[in-house]
Amino acid sequence: MADRVAFPNVEATGEEWAGAAVPSAQSPLFCIEQAGQTLIVIPKINGKVFRYTQLRNEANALRRKLGHHSIDGLILDLHALNYLGAEVIGAVVALARKMEDLGGRTVLCCAAPQLTEALTKMGLHRLWTLFDTRKESLAAVQSRA
């Protein structure tokens, strides 16, 4: 079973935030879980309630986390993503590319029908496989050994 952890949490991780601390009133835009050597990232972004600076800072922290040798796969679980602006797509693509640059595998899962359609129109389904369930995506990433 995966451990559920909200990230980034400056106090718990000691993670630096581009010279500024994240106010405690802000909810993280990304939550993570880890299953073995696979990092599961859950974007929780609503277009009306996030700040670009927070998105950039959290995405940068996640890219650094992907660089840890204990991570060799990435699942982007899109079930809680309610906004698909260019800045969010950029952050998701940057995470996926970072994992692949490091030799790992990236897959997407749990996208709502409208999100699946948008990802397909952008051609992202050709770069990263989109699974209906997290169980399927985890099996695909972990079978890549």
Side-chain angles (χ1 to χ4, degrees):
M1 189 74 174
D3 297 318
R4 185 172 285 254
V5 180
F7 184 83
N9 181 336
V10 176
E11 295 77 24
T13 65
E15 187 72 48
E16 293 297 322
W17 284 91
V22 176
S24 60
Q26 287 182 330
S27 295
L29 297 177
F30 298 94
C31 290
I32 67 166
E33 298 175 17
Q34 190 165 340
Q37 293 180 281
T38 302
L39 191 67
I40 303 164
V41 176
I42 306 150
K44 300 182 97 177
I45 303 170
N46 180 324
K48 297 178 184 174
V49 295
F50 81 96
R51 296 187 188 278
Y52 176 74
T53 302
Q54 181 185 6
L55 174 67
R56 184 190 67 220
N57 289 342
E58 289 187 33
N60 287 341
L62 282 170
R63 278 198 303 277
R64 287 190 299 275
K65 186 165 182 65
L66 289 175
H68 293 171
H69 299 294
S70 62
I71 305 297
D72 66 5
L74 173 64
I75 296 173
L76 291 161
D77 181 334
L78 305 175
H79 80 270
L81 184 60
N82 295 318
Y83 175 72
L84 199 61
E87 63 275 28
V88 173
I89 288 297
V92 167
V93 167
L95 289 172
R97 285 190 174 152
K98 175 70 173 186
M99 183 78 270
E100 291 185 343
D101 288 348
L102 294 168
R105 179 161 186 212
T106 299
V107 299
L108 311 173
C109 72
C110 304
Q114 288 179 309
L115 183 55
T116 299
E117 183 179 338
L119 294 169
T120 301
K121 286 181 180 178
M122 287 184 258
L124 296 179
H125 70 292
R126 289 182 295 222
L127 299 173
W128 302 292
T129 306
L130 179 59
F131 292 94
D132 291 332
T133 69
R134 186 182 302 180
K135 184 177 180 180
E136 292 171 316
S137 64
L138 191 56
V141 169
Q142 292 180 339
S143 71
R144 184 180 178 251

